[in-house]
């Protein structure tokens, strides 16, 4: 049970700045996901918390104690690595028991704690197995048990499911979330998979070029992205660049009354908020293809200026390639210089589902 | 349809036979050379030391071997060779392992310089190294001159003592040792070391519990490989070593060249070969064990 505070953390390697003025407060028992593309600095932040990288400046505090300059073996953190990092010359029991042996605990206590940890990760009775006899998922559970058995104040997970297949990844992330909630352990989780972040996190921190773009609950990150980068990075998003003139965002295919000053802006509309209406007019977007996902159909359309958009429509409606469609956005966000300047629902349109109902079939 | 199947089956087997022949031809020359230049001389040497000319024709005799092991001078030479080999192997590990660890885990630019310096002796011929060492640590060498200049006494020179060849051989074999140990260390991932640090192991415990057990095989390979070279070395023991006792290399040459005694020279060679064969088998066993563990 611990609180993690990161203050103005900075890390530079030679001429590149990996993390720049990053601050974060993680509450006791909270699971925070660091999410970002490759090179965004998320792993570097985690490695600095674990003690494997020294910050250039800034402070890392665990329960108020500054641990920034402590070596990894003296920090109350436990890290699970992407590559499992199990020691192949030890069996499962010894892998988990190694840290306890270093702490010179009595043999009976080590045995009890290791068996408890194995039960916790669903591998009871696997202690005598060699690590190379385990599947990828089992190896990652052993790595998790190895960290948990030492009861760290902060659990650090560095893309732990990246090397696993999709099915196993989904199962393991649920199990990890269950264990984390049961133990109430403060956890920092690094991933570049938005699904993972949305499914697991209490809070998501979206990183870009070593800086925090937005730190919020998953639903807020998805529904109310504060920057154009976050809007594009989380989920699917359509962007239409044009100008705001006289309080209206004007584009040949879509015009929306907005409450911002005149100037260039980027309109963002989620595929599920973008309806399509059949039109015979030349001003319509051209349907490129429609893909049936069972629960919905994703229609790809192209605007006259070459911009490509995706619209999620009802499976009962079929769009043929080459058909003309009018864009009917239900909700939008407007960005200028990467910052959110306006958002809202479009007048006269109730919900996405309702908007989908009015689209006529063009065959 | 059947014709097509037959034709394709025939077409498939012909290239396979051709590939097999090409493969055999490719290995034929090295196999022939190994047989001619290595296997045949070994067998000829063993046979010629056991079946010797006597007054009533060729007879089986172990007299030359009995002489070698009953002769105190020959035994002393063998003992010196084994001592030199053992001491060199230990020193090479003690010197090479820290350098290899530094090269593997250091991220500083200084590591490149250290690597260059560690590899440099590989490009220095043994004879030049020998005379360089004589001029440096020999009597009235550079070290003595420098000590004298500051009013200190001269060092007891290792030149012409058993330590002379030890210093030279360690210097000469260091690059190979460092390269092989570094290659062994490359198999230990950074995350394996970091995971150990994470659960509370300091640098010494990481080395003892994580690194050393996982590079046991490469240490075995390194030792057997360097020991093979040191046991049969000639130039450095000949130039830097004592005249008596002497290592097996110079001993064999002197027995053959100065004493005109080919039978005893060959016997010494066979005995040296048996020791080297032991290390050779050890080396092959280490390699095979390593391959088995990697395939798991």
């Amino acid at each position: 049970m611990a609180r993690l505070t990161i203050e103005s953390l900075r890390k530079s390697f030679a001429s590149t700045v990996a993390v720049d003025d990053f601050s974060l407060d993680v509450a006791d028992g909270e699971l925070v996901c660091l999410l970002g593309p490759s090179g965004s600095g998320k792993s570097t932040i985690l490695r600095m918390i674990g003690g494997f990288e020294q910050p250039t400046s800034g402070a890392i505090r665990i329960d108020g104690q500054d641990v920034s300059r402590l070596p990894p073996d003296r920090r109350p953190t436990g890290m699970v690595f992407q590559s499992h990092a199990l020691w192949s010359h030890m069996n499962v029991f010894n892998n988990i028991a190694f840290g306890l042996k270093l702490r010179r605990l009595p043999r009976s206590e080590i045995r009890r704690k290791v068996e408890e940890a194995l039960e916790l990760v669903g591998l009871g009775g696997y202690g005598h197995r060699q690590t190379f006899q385990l599947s990828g998922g089992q190896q990652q559970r052993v790595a998790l048990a190895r960290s948990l058995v030492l009861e760290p104040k902060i659990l650090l997970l560095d893309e732990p499911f990246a090397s696993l297949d999709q099915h196993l990844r989904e199962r393991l992330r649920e199990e990890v979330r269950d264990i984390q909630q049961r133990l109430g352990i403060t956890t920092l989780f690094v991933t570049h998979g938005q699904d993972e972040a949305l499914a697991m996190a209490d809070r998501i921190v979206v990183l870009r070029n070593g800086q925090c773009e937005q730190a919020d609950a998953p639903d807020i990150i998805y529904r109310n992205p504060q920057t154009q980068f976050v809007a594009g990075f989380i989920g699917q998003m359509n962007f239409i660049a044009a100008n705001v003139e006289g309080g209206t965002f004007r584009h040949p295919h879509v015009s929306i009354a907005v409450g911002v000053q005149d100037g260039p802006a980027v309109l963002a509309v989620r595929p599920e908020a973008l309806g399509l209406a059949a039109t015979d007019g030349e001003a319509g977007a051209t349907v490129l293809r429609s893909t049936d996902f069972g629960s919905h159909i994703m229609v790809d359309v192209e605007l006259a200026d070459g911009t490509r958009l995706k619209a999620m429509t009802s499976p009962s409606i079929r769009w043929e390639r080459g058909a003309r469609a009018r864009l009917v956005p239900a909700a939008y966000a407007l960005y200028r210089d990467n910052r959110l300047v306006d958002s809202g629902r479009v007048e006269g349109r109730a919900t996405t589902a309702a908007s989908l109902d009015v689209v006529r079939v063009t065959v | 349809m059947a014709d097509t199947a037959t034709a394709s089956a025939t077409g498939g087997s012909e290239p396979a036979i051709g590939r097999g022949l090409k493969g055999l031809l490719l290995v034929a020359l090295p196999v022939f050379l190994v047989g001619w230049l290595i296997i045949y001389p070994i067998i000829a040497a063993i046979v010629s030391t056991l079946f010797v000319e006597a007054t009533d024709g060729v007879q089986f005799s172990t007299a030359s071997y009995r002489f070698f092991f009953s002769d105190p001078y020959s035994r002393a030479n063998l003992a010196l060779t084994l001592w030199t080999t053992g001491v060199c192997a230990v020193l090479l590990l003690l010197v090479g392992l820290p350098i290899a660890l530094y090269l593997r885990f250091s991220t500083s630019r200084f590591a490149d310089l250290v690597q260059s310096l560690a590899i440099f002796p590989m490009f220095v011929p043994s004879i030049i190294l020998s005379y360089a060492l004589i001029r440096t640590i020999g009597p009235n060498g550079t070290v003595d001159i420098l000590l004298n200049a500051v009013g200190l006494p001269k060092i007891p020179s290792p030149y012409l003592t058993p330590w002379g060849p030890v210093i030279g051989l360690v210097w000469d074999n260091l690059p190979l040792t460092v390269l092989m140990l570094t290659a062994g260390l490359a198999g230990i991932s950074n995350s394996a070391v970091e995971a150990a640090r994470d659960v509370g192991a300091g640098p010494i415990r990481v080395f003892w519990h994580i690194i050393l057990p996982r590079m046991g095989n490469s240490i075995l390979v390194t030792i057997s490989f360097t020991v093979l070279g040191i046991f049969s070395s000639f130039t450095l023991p000949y130039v830097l070593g004592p005249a008596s006792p002497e290592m097996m290399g110079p001993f064999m040459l002197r027995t053959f060249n100065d004493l005109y005694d080919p039978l005893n020279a060959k016997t010494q060679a066979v005995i040296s070969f048996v020791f080297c064969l032991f290390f050779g088998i050890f080396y092959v066993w280490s390699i095979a064990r390593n391959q088995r563990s990697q395939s798991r």
Side-chain angles (χ1 to χ4, degrees):
Chain A
M1 303 296 252
R3 185 182 189 87
L4 172 71
T5 310
I6 300 168
E7 293 167 0
S8 306
L9 201 64
R10 183 183 161 87
K11 176 70 184 176
S12 51
F13 297 102
S15 58
T16 54
V17 177
V19 179
D20 193 8
D21 195 25
F22 179 81
S23 297
L24 181 70
D25 214 3
V26 185
D28 191 8
E30 193 181 16
L31 193 153
V32 171
C33 243
L34 300 182
L35 180 66
S38 297
S40 59
K42 54 192 188 301
S43 284
T44 309
I45 292 171
L46 204 75
R47 289 176 61 77
M48 282 193 280
I49 299 167
F52 303 110
E53 300 284 356
Q54 284 296 314
T56 308
S57 63
I60 298 163
R61 297 180 203 283
I62 296 172
D63 280 342
Q65 188 204 347
D66 190 350
V67 298
S68 315
R69 303 290 153 187
L70 289 180
D73 45 302
R74 291 180 56 201
R75 292 193 188 201
T77 54
M79 187 142 166
V80 177
F81 296 84
Q82 182 181 343
S83 58
H84 321 318
L86 297 181
W87 305 303
S88 54
H89 60 286
M90 298 180 191
N91 64 14
V92 169
F93 181 92
N94 286 326
N95 262 277
I96 300 170
F98 183 61
L100 299 169
K101 286 177 183 171
L102 292 174
R103 285 159 180 76
R104 300 183 192 284
L105 293 185
R107 196 171 283 185
S108 57
E109 198 178 340
I110 290 175
R111 179 160 291 283
R112 182 182 60 78
K113 280 179 176 265
V114 171
E115 280 167 5
E116 278 176 10
L118 280 170
E119 289 291 340
L120 186 69
V121 297
L123 288 178
Y126 277 65
H128 64 282
R129 299 252 185 126
Q130 293 299 320
T131 53
F132 54 80
Q133 292 174 319
L134 304 179
S135 67
Q138 289 170 331
Q139 288 188 17
Q140 199 55 285
R141 286 173 208 216
V142 174
L144 183 64
R146 184 175 62 185
S147 287
L148 291 174
V149 79
L150 298 171
E151 297 167 14
K153 286 185 172 181
I154 311 286
L155 180 65
L156 307 169
L157 304 164
D158 188 6
E159 303 198 34
F161 313 133
S163 58
L164 308 176
D165 63 61
Q166 180 67 24
H167 178 69
L168 198 57
R169 198 182 303 170
E170 283 172 14
R171 217 178 71 195
L172 259 179
R173 76 184 179 206
E174 281 172 23
E175 288 180 17
V176 168
R177 182 61 165 149
D178 284 348
I179 292 169
Q180 187 268 335
Q181 284 179 330
R182 218 181 315 156
L183 300 177
I185 187 168
T186 310
T187 304
L188 228 70
F189 188 106
V190 159
T191 181
H192 61 254
Q194 47 174 293
D195 291 356
E196 234 159 63
L198 292 167
M200 290 182 73
D202 292 317
R203 203 148 48 105
I204 295 175
V205 178
V206 183
L207 288 155
R208 182 196 189 193
N209 298 332
Q211 288 183 315
C212 175
E213 284 274 317
Q214 188 173 353
D216 266 314
D219 59 322
I220 297 175
I221 290 273
Y222 187 82
R223 295 197 174 85
N224 195 15
Q226 292 300 302
T227 68
Q228 189 182 336
F229 174 79
V230 174
F233 191 72
I234 306 287
Q236 290 186 317
M237 183 66 92
N238 296 305
F239 290 113
I240 303 168
N243 280 308
V244 175
E245 291 164 10
T248 303
F249 176 85
R250 290 187 194 284
H251 185 273
H253 292 278
V254 58
S255 290
I256 298 174
V258 292
V260 298
Q261 288 186 335
D262 290 0
V266 175
L267 185 80
V269 184
R270 294 269 182 214
E272 60 265 35
L274 182 62
L276 296 177
T279 178
D280 299 327
E282 284 298 308
T286 310
V287 173
L288 295 176
R289 74 181 70 83
S290 67
T291 312
D292 194 341
F293 287 94
S295 59
H296 63 272
I297 287 178
M298 191 67 84
V299 184
D300 289 37
V301 297
E302 188 177 51
L303 308 186
D305 60 4
T307 305
R308 291 189 172 197
L309 309 175
K310 285 179 184 293
M312 196 185 283
T313 67
S314 163
S316 60
I317 302 165
R318 299 282 162 198
W319 287 92
E320 290 292 316
R321 179 182 165 82
R324 292 284 179 174
R326 186 165 55 82
L327 305 182
V328 191
Y332 72 93
L334 197 71
Y335 297 94
R336 181 173 284 163
D337 299 328
N338 192 41
R339 292 284 149 199
L340 180 71
V341 288
D342 190 30
S343 66
R345 310 198 74 80
V346 179
E347 291 288 321
R349 301 201 49 79
T351 62
T352 306
S355 72
L356 292 172
D357 292 341
V358 299
V359 178
R360 283 187 289 113
V361 182
T362 306
V363 181
Chain B
M1 195 69 178
D3 288 345
T4 316
T6 313
S8 65
T10 314
S13 63
E14 272 177 0
I17 293 167
R19 278 201 301 275
L21 275 173
K22 274 181 199 162
L24 283 175
L25 281 172
L26 281 169
V27 296
L29 187 63
V31 167
F32 171 72
L33 286 174
V34 167
W36 180 37
L37 298 174
I38 297 174
I39 307 291
Y40 169 71
I42 289 170
I43 293 168
I46 294 169
V47 169
S48 64
T49 53
L50 291 173
F51 295 92
V52 290
E53 289 277 349
T55 48
D56 49 348
V58 176
Q59 277 190 338
F60 177 77
S61 168
T62 56
S64 62
Y65 290 94
R66 277 187 272 122
F67 170 75
F68 183 92
F69 287 108
S70 60
D71 175 35
Y73 184 64
S74 302
R75 284 206 312 265
N77 289 346
L78 181 62
L80 177 72
T81 309
L82 287 169
W83 178 86
T84 307
T85 308
V87 169
C88 284
V90 171
L91 286 176
L92 277 168
L93 275 185
L94 289 178
V95 177
L97 202 52
I99 297 173
L101 283 168
Y102 174 75
L103 293 179
R104 167 65 185 83
F105 293 108
S106 171
T107 50
S108 84
R109 288 181 186 173
F110 190 61
D112 295 338
L113 180 68
V114 172
Q115 183 163 28
S116 309
L117 286 173
I119 304 302
F120 174 68
M122 192 177 261
F123 306 104
V124 179
S126 302
I127 191 74
I128 291 174
L129 165 64
S130 304
Y131 284 101
L133 285 175
I134 292 171
R135 293 303 306 137
T136 313
I137 54 174
N140 301 318
T142 313
V143 174
D144 274 354
I145 291 168
L146 290 173
L147 288 172
N148 191 45
V150 292
L152 290 169
K154 292 177 179 178
I155 54 161
S157 173
Y159 178 50
L160 301 182
T161 74
W163 288 102
V166 167
I167 294 170
L169 287 166
V170 167
W171 204 85
D172 203 33
N173 283 281
L174 195 60
L176 193 65
T177 308
V178 169
L179 283 177
M180 290 174 81
L181 290 175
T182 311
L185 280 167
I188 300 169
S189 66
N190 284 346
S191 56
V193 172
E194 286 174 349
R197 297 294 313 268
D198 192 54
V199 298
I204 293 170
R205 280 171 162 171
V206 168
F207 174 72
W208 189 253
H209 293 289
I210 306 298
I211 295 174
L212 210 51
R214 295 179 74 180
M215 67 174 309
N217 237 348
S218 62
I219 289 176
L220 289 181
V221 170
T222 309
I223 288 177
S224 33
F225 208 81
T226 49
V227 154
L228 278 173
I230 292 167
F231 197 91
S232 53
S233 59
F234 174 77
T235 311
L236 288 159
Y238 184 74
V239 181
L240 299 173
S244 170
E246 58 194 329
M247 281 181 71
M248 292 303 284
F251 183 36
M252 274 181 258
L253 182 82
R254 213 169 44 74
T255 309
F256 186 82
N257 263 9
D258 299 351
L259 305 178
Y260 305 112
D261 188 354
L263 176 63
N264 275 319
K266 274 192 280 186
T267 306
Q268 291 156 15
V270 170
I271 289 164
S272 299
F273 167 72
V274 170
F275 276 94
C276 287
L277 187 66
F278 172 75
F279 292 120
I281 291 169
F282 192 62
Y283 170 72
V284 172
W285 174 76
S286 303
I287 294 275
R289 204 176 74 150
N290 196 23
Q291 281 176 345
R292 272 203 307 276
S293 69
Q294 277 178 353
S295 65
R296 281 193 304 214

